[in-house]
Amino acid sequence: MNYMERYKSWLKDKNIDEKTKEELKKISDEKEIQDRFYKDLEFGTAGLRGKLGAGTNRMNIYTVSKATQGFANFINKQSKEYAERGVAIAHDSRHMSKEFALDTALIFAANGIKAFLFEDLRPTPELSFSILHLKTAGGIVITASHNPKEYNGYKAYWEDGAQITSKIADPLTEEINNVNDFSTIKRISKEEAIEKGLLKIIGKEIDDIYIEKVKKLSITDDVDKDLCVVYTPLNGTGNKPVRRVLKERGFLNVHVVPEQENPDPDFTTVGYPNPEDTKAFKYSINLGKSVDADLLVATDPDCDRLAIMVKHNNEYVSFSGNQTGAILIKYIIDGLKGKNALPKNGAIIKSIVTGDLGKRIGQENGITTFETLTGFKNICGKENEITKNGEYELIFGYEESIGFKAGDFVKDKDAVISSMLLVEAAAYYKKRGKTLKDVLDGLFEEFGYYLENNFSIILEGIEGQERIKRIMKEYRNLYPKEFSGIKMIKYIDYLEMKEHDLVNNSEKETDVPKSNVLRYFFEDGSWYALRPSGTEPKLKVYIYSIGKTMEDAKEKLNAIKEKMMEIIDSVE
C-alpha cells in the first residue's frame, strides 16, 4: 500500500480508537499524511524511536503494541524456558511512557510471557541490570533518551542485558512485520495478569542491589568529599539514583537544580534535554555560581548519558564526551595501578567515531583498544566477545556522544556509574590542587592537542532522507585527498567493509560489521567521518585533529571542515 492507502485503512480499521481517527481526520496537509504513513518505524541503533502521534511512522499505542506482539511471538518461538524467564520493562518520564510500558507488559502477559514491570520511572541502565539480575529472556525500556518532548521510543534488549544486535533484530523485525492486523494483538487486564502470576511489579529490591554494585566500582576514598557539585537530571530518571549513590559515597555537598529536579515530560526549562548541548546547563550554571560549585553534572532524561562543566579560573568550562572519557580512563587506570590491580589483559572499547586520546592513554599503559560500530549494543556486544573466554578484561567502554560504562553488571552506557566516578575523580584531583581542566591540559601536553568538531546536518522528512543518501553516494567519489598540504593515507568504507591504504595502494577487509559510515585518515593523525543517524533525521559529521599546539589543532579542524563542506553543500 502507498501512504494514502495506509492512511485510509487506519480510518476504516475497527481496532483503531475514535480519538486516533479524529486526530488523523484533522490533518489538512497531504505532506503530513505522507510523512506519517510512508513507512513503518524501523529498528535503528536504539530500537524504535519517533514522534508521538497517529500513523505507522509515529510512536503510538498501535506501533508499540505491534512491536511487542512481534517480540512476544519471537520469544515464544525460542523455547518454553524463554517465556517462563520473562521480560523486564522500564520507562522514562516522557508523554505516554508509562502507558506504553504497562500495555507492553500486558501484551507479553497475554502471550504467556512473564513481565517484570518497574513501579515507576527508572534509568535505562537499571533496566539492563535487571535483565541480568532476574535472568530474564530480554527487556524493554520506553524512552527517547535525549530527544525533544515530541518523541518517544522503544528500546529492545536480549538476555545478555544489551540492546539487540542484528542477529536478534533481523528475525525479530520479521516477526513484527508479520503482525499485519491489530486484531491479532493479545492483551489481558492488569488484574488478570497479576492473578495468573504473569505480571510482577518490581522496584526497591532491584534499586538496592544495583546501587550497591555501582558503589563497588569506586576507585578510592582518598578524595575531598567537600567538593561542591551541582546536579541536574533534566527532569528525567536520574534524580533519585544519582543523588542516592553520591550521598551513600559521602558526597553531601550536592545541590540539585530545583526547576529540573522532578519529572516533566515537556522539559519546560530546557526544550532539547541533551546535556551534550551546553544550553542544557543554563540553570546549572546559575545555581553553580550561587553556591560556588566545583563541578556541574547533567544526565539526560533516561540517565544513560552524562556531561560535565568544570569551574576553572572562575569560569565554567564544558567538556566533550571524548574529553570526559579520556579523563575517566586516566583516573581509572592510575587508580588501578596505584592498587597494583591494573589487569595485564585490560581493554578499552570505543566506537569508530570516538576520538583517539583515550586510546593513546590506554596504549601508554599497555591497554588494548577495540573499535566497533556506533551504539552501546555494539560496544557491549564486543565486550561479550572479548571477555567470554577471559582473553581480555574490560576497563572502560565509551562513545563520543557522552556515553560511558565501567563494570560488567550493566550492558549499556550508565550515567549513574559515570556520575559517581566523575564526582570521585574531581574530588580526588581537588585534594591534590587540580581541577579536571588541569588534568585535561596535562593530557594535551603529554600526548598532543586532540581536538574535535562534531556536528549534525539536520535534514527532515522524505526529502531530507533522500538528500542524505545522495550526499553519502557522492562523497564516496568526491572526497578530498589532502588539506593544507597534509595528505590522506587511508580511508575506510564500512558499507563495503574495506580499508583502502593509499600509501601502499592496497586494501583489506575490516573487522567491524557493515554500516553506512565513511572515515578518512591523514598522515598527521587527524581524521574525519560521516554517518547518517539510525534514529534521527541527521547526517552526523565527526572531525578530529591532533596538533603540537592548541592553535595548530584548531587550524587543522577548520581546514578539514571547509574542504568537506564544499562537497556536502554541492549535493542538492
Side-chain angles (χ1 to χ4, degrees):
M1 289 191 288
N2 62 32
Y3 68 88
M4 190 56 74
E5 288 171 331
R6 285 184 172 193
Y7 168 72
K8 290 177 179 177
S9 72
W10 272 48
L11 293 177
K12 294 176 183 176
D13 195 329
K14 294 178 181 177
N15 299 290
I16 304 288
D17 67 275
E18 289 305 314
K19 186 178 178 182
T20 299
K21 289 179 181 179
E22 284 303 313
E23 178 185 336
L24 291 174
K25 288 174 184 176
K26 289 178 182 178
I27 302 173
S28 56
D29 183 359
E30 189 172 330
K31 279 193 174 182
E32 174 71 10
I33 295 174
Q34 184 181 23
D35 190 53
R36 287 182 182 229
F37 285 94
Y38 82 98
K39 66 172 185 176
D40 290 336
L41 280 180
E42 299 169 357
F43 275 91
T45 55
L48 292 173
R49 190 180 297 176
K51 289 182 178 179
L52 289 160
T56 59
N57 190 31
R58 291 289 186 271
M59 283 292 297
N60 52 65
I61 204 74
Y62 302 102
T63 51
V64 168
S65 62
K66 176 180 175 177
T68 304
Q69 184 63 54
F71 202 171
N73 292 344
F74 177 75
I75 288 174
N76 279 326
K77 284 186 177 179
Q78 306 308 304
S79 70
K80 185 178 179 182
E81 180 218 347
Y82 275 78
E84 290 172 349
R85 286 163 60 188
V87 175
I89 302 165
H91 69 84
D92 68 6
S93 59
R94 290 175 178 273
H95 288 293
M96 294 300 294
S97 285
K98 192 165 190 174
E99 292 85 346
F100 289 160
L102 177 58
D103 195 54
T104 294
L106 298 179
I107 292 170
F108 278 121
N111 283 273
I113 300 166
K114 190 171 183 178
F116 296 87
L117 176 66
F118 275 99
E119 61 187 351
D120 202 355
L121 70 170
R122 288 297 190 282
T124 288
E126 189 172 350
L127 181 277
S128 172
F129 167 73
S130 69
I131 293 168
L132 295 173
H133 177 69
L134 296 169
K135 296 181 173 60
T136 63
I140 299 292
V141 60
I142 306 297
T143 179
S145 188
H146 56 283
N147 284 69
K149 65 179 181 179
E150 295 84 7
Y151 286 79
N152 212 325
Y154 180 102
K155 286 185 181 180
Y157 291 72
W158 197 232
E159 60 184 332
D160 59 359
Q163 291 176 51
I164 57 172
T165 57
S166 57
K167 182 179 178 181
I168 300 298
D170 291 346
L172 172 54
T173 301
E174 189 175 337
E175 289 293 341
I176 292 170
N177 291 339
N178 287 338
V179 181
N180 295 314
D181 188 340
F182 293 127
S183 67
T184 63
I185 296 170
K186 301 175 183 177
R187 280 185 183 85
I188 55 176
S189 69
K190 183 177 179 180
E191 293 72 24
E192 184 182 353
I194 292 173
E195 186 182 330
K196 289 183 174 180
L198 290 166
L199 174 61
K200 182 177 181 182
I201 305 300
I202 57 175
K204 185 179 183 300
E205 70 279 14
I206 304 293
D207 299 341
D208 292 346
I209 300 167
Y210 168 67
I211 292 295
E212 283 305 310
K213 284 186 171 289
V214 173
K215 289 191 293 183
K216 287 179 181 177
L217 294 175
S218 169
I219 300 297
T220 181
D221 222 33
D222 184 18
V223 300
D224 183 350
K225 289 193 174 175
D226 286 330
L227 180 85
C228 186
V229 180
V230 163
Y231 170 61
T232 175
L234 294 179
N235 303 114
T237 62
N239 183 38
K240 291 181 180 179
V242 171
R243 293 172 73 175
R244 176 179 173 181
V245 78
L246 292 179
K247 182 179 179 181
E248 293 184 15
R249 281 285 294 114
F251 295 101
L252 305 180
N253 195 6
V254 177
H255 306 263
V256 180
V257 176
E259 298 90 343
Q260 297 170 339
E261 177 179 0
N262 297 313
D264 174 11
D266 290 317
F267 307 110
T268 310
T269 61
V270 65
Y272 179 43
N274 184 0
E276 199 171 10
D277 185 344
T278 54
K279 292 195 219 46
F281 279 88
K282 179 182 176 182
Y283 285 76
S284 297
I285 291 171
N286 291 338
L287 180 57
K289 288 177 179 177
S290 70
V291 299
D292 195 25
D294 300 295
L295 178 69
L296 313 181
V297 176
T299 56
D300 70 341
D302 69 326
C303 199
D304 61 356
R305 301 183 187 216
L306 164 145
I308 61 170
M309 294 187 81
V310 175
K311 188 178 182 183
H312 184 78
N313 294 336
N314 292 316
E315 289 186 13
Y316 287 108
V317 181
S318 64
F319 283 58
S320 70
N322 286 299
Q323 294 168 342
T324 304
I327 286 170
L328 281 171
I329 287 169
K330 175 179 172 55
Y331 175 66
I332 292 169
I333 288 177
D334 286 353
L336 292 175
K337 283 172 69 176
K339 295 188 286 188
N340 293 316
L342 186 67
K344 292 181 180 179
N345 62 342
I348 294 167
I349 304 175
K350 73 180 188 71
S351 74
I352 57 175
V353 293
T354 296
D356 292 334
L357 181 55
K359 177 180 178 179
R360 183 71 182 83
I361 298 165
Q363 194 175 39
E364 191 72 11
N365 291 277
I367 305 299
T368 304
T369 296
F370 293 88
E371 291 191 341
T372 188
L373 293 179
T374 303
F376 261 74
K377 67 177 183 180
N378 296 306
I379 287 175
C380 294
K382 192 70 176 178
E383 176 191 1
N384 292 339
E385 176 190 322
I386 66 173
T387 61
K388 187 176 182 180
N389 299 315
E391 187 177 358
Y392 289 95
E393 184 176 329
L394 182 71
I395 290 174
F396 196 68
Y398 75 121
E399 287 187 322
E400 74 354 291
S401 55
I402 59 173
F404 316 100
K405 88 174 292 289
D408 61 1
F409 57 90
V410 172
K411 299 298 182 180
D412 208 342
K413 50 188 177 287
D414 189 332
V416 181
I417 291 173
S418 46
S419 292
M420 183 194 74
L421 289 174
L422 243 304
V423 169
E424 188 181 291
Y428 173 84
Y429 291 115
K430 183 181 181 183
K431 190 172 182 179
R432 287 148 184 83
K434 293 182 179 181
T435 69
L436 294 183
K437 179 67 167 59
D438 292 324
V439 176
L440 181 63
D441 289 342
L443 292 173
F444 285 157
E445 289 172 16
E446 183 176 0
F447 298 114
Y449 288 80
Y450 285 77
L451 297 190
E452 65 201 81
N453 183 4
N454 299 339
F455 58 95
S456 297
I457 300 170
I458 299 173
L459 298 166
E460 293 187 312
I462 301 169
E463 295 87 349
Q465 290 299 303
E466 291 302 316
R467 187 169 176 227
I468 288 173
K469 289 178 185 177
R470 290 195 298 273
I471 289 170
M472 293 299 290
K473 182 179 179 181
E474 290 294 321
Y475 211 95
R476 284 180 161 86
N477 301 314
L478 299 174
Y479 58 88
K481 305 289 195 301
E482 65 174 56
F483 71 94
S484 301
I486 301 171
K487 293 181 180 179
M488 183 188 297
I489 57 171
K490 69 176 181 179
Y491 71 92
I492 303 175
D493 187 336
Y494 293 95
L495 193 59
E496 60 177 20
M497 298 176 67
K498 286 185 179 178
E499 178 179 314
H500 300 266
D501 184 333
L502 302 179
V503 176
N504 299 307
N505 195 28
S506 62
E507 62 181 45
K508 64 179 181 180
E509 297 289 321
T510 67
D511 59 357
V512 173
K514 186 175 183 179
S515 185
N516 189 16
V517 184
L518 295 169
R519 200 171 170 203
Y520 301 90
F521 301 81
F522 296 88
E523 58 189 349
D524 69 331
S526 301
W527 59 273
Y528 71 94
L530 289 84
R531 178 182 75 88
S533 170
T535 57
E536 300 171 280
K538 296 177 178 179
L539 176 64
K540 296 195 170 185
V541 179
Y542 309 83
I543 308 175
Y544 293 97
S545 68
I546 178 170
K548 295 178 180 178
T549 65
M550 182 72 75
E551 194 56 42
D552 178 34
K554 285 179 179 178
E555 286 178 4
K556 289 176 179 178
L557 276 184
N558 293 334
I560 295 173
K561 182 177 180 180
E562 185 178 343
K563 279 271 189 182
M564 64 177 299
M565 288 306 296
E566 285 178 9
I567 296 171
I568 290 174
D569 290 339
S570 71
V571 180
E572 295 296 329

